[in-house]
């Protein structure tokens, strides 16, 4: 980390890699980061780039829509919010409006549905569709969304159908007569469908592919050290004796709300005369290699990346 001062050739700053940064830097200490190819300075709490960094950089993101609400009175589970991931080339000083979608309300009538979740977005780059609201008693069908809600239970009116999911964002919900699991497979989980006694309905598991992001930002549902997003809501049978399992990723169990900022679907209510659970709100996280260069959200550094986490609407400035 030597500094060279030459009257003819100028000054050569100390240099280091990201992994080899000074262990106990002083405020104002600066040097050239050979991993990032930029001059950086310690501002007292983080390494930040020095000067006009005009080159665009790769901004990775995950965007999770709000989860759908659960059904009423032998109702299905709400569908998880849609899940999107990707990257965009960000130009310094450009801005991205971040919108965090709310979860849908639980159903309150036997012939209605849970409310669908609200879309979450990172500017025009990515829009994750809110999860579908679940169907209720009397065979009410669920709504479509990022992931579909579960269909309502059996009655003289028939069994409700599960809502469809959005391609690349989530899965369909289970039908009212469908036993077992719906959704999963790496993106948003569909809601469980309601059924007659003895056949509880599980929510679909969401994605665990971004567990590293969850660990760095303390977001998602932690299941044995693995973090999940966008799980579908579950429901019980019509007696309440057999309860389904909520989908990993914030899905709600019977009559339970989805977890906030996971996009989890709300739990349906298998027992007569009770409301469904609300869906969980959505989430946006962006990250990039190196020290802090953007602003907005809650900022943490981990594993050579800087993460910006948005649990409420705001603006990311590159």
């Amino acid at each position: 980390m030597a500094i060279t001062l030459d009257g003819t050739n100028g000054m050569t700053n100390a240099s280091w890699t990201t992994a080899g940064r000074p262990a106990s830097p002083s405020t104002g200490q600066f040097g050239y980061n050979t991993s990032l190819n930029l001059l950086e300075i310690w501002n007292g709490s983080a390494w930040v780039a020095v000067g006009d960094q005009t080159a665009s950089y790769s901004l990775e993101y995950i965007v999770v829509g709000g989860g759908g609400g659960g059904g009423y009175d032998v109702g299905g589970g709400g569908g998880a919010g849609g899940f999107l991931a990707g990257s965009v080339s960000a130009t310094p000083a450009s801005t991205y409006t971040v919108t965090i979608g709310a979860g849908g309300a639980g159903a309150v009538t036997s012939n209605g549905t849970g409310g669908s979740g609200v879309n979450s977005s990172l500017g025009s780059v990515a829009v994750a569709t809110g999860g579908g609201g679940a169907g209720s008693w009397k065979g009410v069908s669920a709504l479509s969304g990022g992931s579909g809600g579960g269909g309502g239970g059996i009655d003289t009116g028939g069994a409700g159908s599960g809502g469809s999911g959005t391609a690349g964002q989530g899965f369909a919900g289970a039908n009212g007569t469908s036993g077992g699991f719906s959704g999963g497979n790496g993106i948003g989980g569909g809601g469980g469908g309601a059924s007659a006694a003895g056949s509880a309905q599980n929510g679909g598991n969401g994605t665990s592919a971004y567990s590293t992001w969850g660990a760095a930002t303390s977001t998602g549902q932690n299941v044995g050290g693995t973090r999940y997003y966008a799980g579908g809501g579950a429901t019980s049978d019509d007696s309440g004796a057999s309860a389904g399992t909520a989908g990993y990723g914030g899905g709600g169990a019977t009559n339970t709300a989805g977890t906030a900022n996971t996009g989890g679907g709300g739990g349906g209510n298998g027992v007569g005369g009770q409301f469904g659970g609300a869906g969980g709100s959505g989430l946006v996280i962006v990250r990039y290699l190196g020290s802090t260069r953007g602003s907005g959200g809650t900022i943490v550094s981990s594993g050579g990346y800087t993460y910006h986490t948005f649990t409420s609407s705001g603006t990311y400035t590159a």
Side-chain angles (χ1 to χ4, degrees):
M1 296 186 186
I3 297 175
T4 302
L5 183 61
D6 185 290
T8 301
N9 298 313
M11 184 176 73
T12 302
N13 287 294
S15 63
W16 47 70
T17 63
T18 298
R21 284 169 172 159
S24 301
S26 301
T27 300
Q29 184 173 348
F30 67 95
Y32 191 78
N33 187 317
T34 57
S35 298
L36 305 176
N37 294 320
L38 56 80
L39 193 65
E40 60 185 8
I41 188 169
W42 180 254
N43 68 4
S45 59
W47 290 103
V48 297
V50 175
D52 180 18
Q53 305 295 323
T54 59
S56 297
Y57 60 96
S58 179
L59 183 70
E60 300 177 80
Y61 61 81
I62 60 174
V63 181
V64 189
Y72 175 99
D73 193 357
V74 198
F83 183 96
L84 286 173
S87 64
V88 62
S89 180
T91 302
S94 59
T95 60
Y96 300 84
T97 300
V98 175
T99 302
I100 303 300
V108 297
T109 62
S110 61
N111 60 352
T113 64
S116 291
V118 178
N119 298 350
S120 294
S121 60
L122 175 64
S124 60
V125 173
V127 180
T129 306
S136 300
W137 187 50
K138 298 186 178 179
V140 175
S141 293
L143 303 178
S144 298
S147 302
I154 302 167
D155 192 72
T156 55
S161 299
S164 59
T166 300
Q169 296 194 28
F171 285 82
N175 294 329
T177 54
S178 174
F181 204 78
S182 175
N185 199 30
I187 51 178
S195 68
S199 181
Q201 303 297 295
N202 300 326
N205 288 342
T207 181
S208 62
Y210 292 82
S211 181
T212 300
W213 294 49
T217 59
S218 299
T219 58
Q221 181 185 0
N222 188 349
V223 183
T226 299
R227 304 268 179 161
Y228 291 80
Y229 299 97
T235 190
S236 69
D237 66 7
D238 61 1
S239 70
S242 179
T245 300
Y248 293 165
T254 302
N255 194 33
T256 303
T259 304
N261 298 125
T262 65
N269 207 306
V271 180
Q274 297 184 22
F275 299 167
S281 53
L283 178 73
V284 173
I285 304 174
V286 298
R287 78 172 191 178
Y288 46 83
L289 274 169
S291 54
T292 304
R293 59 189 302 170
S295 63
T298 300
I299 304 173
V300 298
S301 295
S302 177
Y305 287 91
T306 299
Y307 293 81
H308 295 248
T309 302
F310 292 84
T311 56
S312 59
S313 298
T315 301
Y316 175 74
T317 302

